[in-house]
Amino acid sequence: MSEESKPAAPADNLVTSSHTLPSGQAYTATAGTMVLREEVTTDGTFEGLRPKAEVFITAYTLDGADPGSRPVTFAFNGGPGSSSVWLHLGVLGPRRVVMGDAGALLPPPYGLVDNEESLLRVSDLVFIDPVSTGFSRAAQGEKAEPYHGFTGDLESVGEVIRLWTTRNGRWMSPKFLAGESYGTVRAAGLAEHLQSRYGMYLNGVMLISSVLDFITGEFNEGNDLAYALYLPTYAAIAHHHGLHGDRPLADVLREAEEYADRDYLWALARGNRLTAEDRAAAVAKVAGLTGLSTDYVDRVDLRIEHIRFFTEVLRHRRQVVGRLDGRFTGWDPDAGREHFAADPSMDAIMGPYSAALNHYLRTDLGYANDLPYEVLTSRVRPWSYKEFENAHVQVASRLGGGDAGQSAPARARRLRLPRRRHAVLRRRAHLRPPARAARADRQHRVQVLRGRPHDVRARAQQARPVSSPGGVRPRRAGVRLWPGAA
């Protein structure tokens, strides 16, 4: 191919615009794609940089702030295959979607309003769409598959963070990560990757709907842990839908957590060694907590897989409940199926968020792109976990680094805020990382902020850079508010 016929090398395509928070503070929004390049070396000879991907970001920086003291938070959702739209327009960003709420959804067109709880008041924000999500794509002539896996994903997102930090003069700023769902796996891995690869130490990590060890959510034969860990959320969902009468939610959760902690796991481990009396008691207990019939609990051998539960718990009403948000209900055309055909909570939020994001980027931020914005895509599958071959995915230890001379933090830090009237009911388990890491080069621990999405803003306000910030401890039941509820 002649030089004249070669396509032009891709370049960054970023647009900036000026805006004002409700408080009167001015900020700058930057939206567009950043080009990632790799160093090419042949037979020991450096031949230059080759474009490998174009990654879409949306960044918000407060005007006139001191970069030495102003924090910056890098945020992303999970999937794998999800863009950052949910944290962007539902939780952390300066604008949020108005879509109504469970049982009172608004019809299109949907609205956008100022987000009074935006983290931008206390931290600059950079929302990152991993390769193949949002407007992010592999560069022309390059394959996307290398980024569709644990390590490739970490390296590309980590490179975006390094580039943005360098180009915006923010190496001396306090730096945080905020990840949701698989984004918590990414955040834990990035905490280690950024430190070991670039010497970039973080001030904290925010884990939203975290899953640090996949065994806690894998309903596989021989693994009873997931059944116990999900029990408190099943109980909370049943309570929300009126299956616990007038009992306070706190009482229901306390009973479910206590049973899951000890007796439930014991009953599952006993198997056929359970006496008829003990089995009947366990069946009755699980049925009473989950709202399921004793016959169903007995037939599934006390083991309730989560999609089965969402399909079964309101079967007597010919309804299914949401997986992402247990408050949402929907109708299934086949009221006898074992697994629902679609998640009613995903059906409820996809339209409003997709419409709002596409309108907001083009109209408010002035960024135009004819590619479809991939809100949630299956193009990243199969996702590679080759680094964990013959083992389950586990990243909690990557947050527990420290040299042999450092003592482990006494306990994790978690701020509990008053819950709103409407709560999303979703369970994620958290495991304690090792008290000390074996690697001598990991002498810096990152502070872990975990909880419901609306915990994050207040916790970040209270966070301060410390030399040996908090670690991770187990958390039982989770009640979270889905971003986008009006």
Side-chain angles (χ1 to χ4, degrees):
M1 181 181 295
S2 66
E3 292 296 327
E4 292 77 8
S5 61
K6 287 184 178 180
D12 291 356
N13 179 20
L14 301 167
V15 297
T16 60
S17 54
S18 298
H19 308 269
T20 305
L21 290 171
S23 61
Q25 295 171 293
Y27 68 92
T28 297
T30 302
T33 54
M34 297 174 60
V35 178
L36 305 187
R37 295 176 172 85
E38 65 178 351
E39 299 180 14
V40 179
T41 302
T42 303
D43 295 330
T45 301
F46 178 63
E47 297 185 349
L49 301 175
R50 182 176 69 193
K52 57 182 182 178
E54 298 177 71
V55 177
F56 184 78
I57 67 164
T58 309
Y60 300 97
T61 54
L62 198 68
D63 294 349
D66 175 16
S69 59
R70 173 76 173 171
V72 56
T73 299
F74 298 93
F76 33 77
N77 284 94
S82 177
S83 67
S84 61
V85 64
W86 316 108
L87 290 180
H88 185 181
L89 295 184
V91 181
L92 303 178
R95 303 278 284 172
R96 69 173 180 89
V97 178
V98 177
M99 52 165 280
D101 208 345
L105 295 173
L106 299 177
Y110 308 101
L112 276 168
V113 297
D114 289 329
N115 181 9
E116 299 290 345
E117 296 183 336
S118 174
L119 195 67
L120 183 57
R121 290 189 294 174
V122 295
S123 171
D124 290 341
L125 299 168
V126 182
F127 296 96
I128 302 171
D129 293 339
V131 175
S132 298
T133 73
F135 289 131
S136 300
R137 302 290 190 272
Q140 184 173 350
E142 298 293 321
K143 294 182 178 181
E145 284 80 4
Y147 308 102
H148 298 167
F150 179 78
T151 297
D153 176 71
L154 289 185
E155 291 175 346
S156 58
V157 175
E159 177 70 353
V160 171
I161 293 173
R162 183 194 70 83
L163 282 174
W164 191 93
T165 301
T166 300
R167 293 174 180 177
N168 289 273
R170 303 301 294 268
W171 273 89
M172 299 301 285
S173 299
K175 289 176 283 295
F176 294 84
L177 302 180
E180 183 268 344
S181 191
Y182 183 82
T184 64
V185 176
R186 181 183 293 124
L190 280 171
E192 180 183 61
H193 174 73
L194 292 172
Q195 179 172 316
S196 61
R197 176 66 180 87
Y198 302 123
M200 180 183 290
Y201 288 8
L202 301 173
N203 294 83
V205 176
M206 308 173 203
L207 304 177
I208 305 167
S209 293
S210 66
V211 51
L212 301 180
D213 190 328
F214 279 20
I215 200 171
T216 62
E218 293 179 349
F219 295 87
N220 297 329
E221 185 176 354
N223 175 35
D224 288 334
L225 182 60
Y227 300 105
L229 293 176
Y230 270 73
L231 185 67
T233 284
Y234 295 161
I237 292 175
H239 180 278
H240 179 81
H241 292 290
L243 303 183
H244 283 286
D246 296 330
R247 287 190 65 189
L249 175 62
D251 290 350
V252 174
L253 285 177
R254 186 179 306 110
E255 180 183 356
E257 291 171 1
E258 291 175 355
Y259 186 67
D261 271 349
R262 294 186 56 183
D263 294 345
Y264 189 25
L265 282 170
W266 175 84
L268 295 177
R270 293 290 293 175
N272 291 334
R273 294 173 295 171
L274 274 178
T275 66
E277 181 181 0
D278 286 340
R279 181 180 176 86
V283 166
K285 185 73 166 182
V286 173
L289 288 170
T290 62
L292 299 168
S293 69
T294 54
D295 177 64
Y296 180 83
V297 174
D298 186 50
R299 283 189 286 113
V300 299
D301 199 23
L302 292 166
R303 292 164 173 83
I304 305 166
E305 189 271 339
H306 66 316
I307 302 299
R308 277 181 160 185
F309 173 80
F310 303 139
T311 309
E312 183 69 26
V313 66
L314 296 184
R315 191 183 296 276
H316 61 285
R317 302 179 189 173
R318 297 295 191 268
Q319 291 180 316
V320 297
V321 303
R323 183 182 73 88
L324 296 177
D325 185 333
R327 299 171 304 136
F328 285 84
T329 60
W331 302 95
D332 197 304
D334 182 353
R337 75 169 85 235
E338 183 179 16
H339 297 144
F340 57 32
D343 177 358
S345 56
M346 175 57 76
D347 290 345
I349 64 177
M350 178 62 78
Y353 276 80
S354 181
L357 189 283
N358 279 282
H359 169 82
Y360 175 64
L361 290 180
R362 289 164 173 78
T363 303
D364 292 9
L365 302 190
Y367 178 79
N369 193 321
D370 287 339
L371 288 173
Y373 185 90
E374 298 289 350
V375 172
L376 185 64
T377 181
S378 60
R379 293 182 178 182
V380 303
R381 302 188 185 280
W383 192 260
S384 173
Y385 295 106
K386 62 182 180 181
E387 301 81 3
F388 303 93
E389 188 173 0
N390 297 323
H392 59 270
V393 178
Q394 192 278 119
V395 295
S397 59
R398 297 174 186 244
L399 288 173
D403 70 329
Q406 283 186 298
S407 60
R411 56 170 296 179
R413 297 182 56 189
R414 183 181 181 212
L415 177 67
R416 295 183 179 272
L417 299 183
R419 294 172 180 168
R420 294 188 176 185
R421 185 171 66 88
H422 297 299
V424 170
L425 315 165
R426 187 181 180 190
R427 175 74 182 92
R428 288 294 187 189
H430 308 285
L431 302 182
R432 185 189 300 274
R436 302 182 183 188
R439 291 181 54 184
D441 64 329
R442 295 188 61 207
Q443 299 181 13
H444 174 79
R445 289 194 187 93
V446 290
Q447 187 171 9
V448 179
L449 312 178
R450 61 175 350 123
R452 301 179 301 279
H454 283 51
D455 289 355
V456 171
R457 181 183 60 81
R459 296 182 60 145
Q461 286 178 300
Q462 294 191 9
R464 295 291 185 272
V466 291
S467 56
S468 297
V472 183
R473 69 178 178 89
R475 177 166 67 92
R476 297 185 182 93
V479 182
R480 69 176 270 219
L481 184 74
W482 179 258

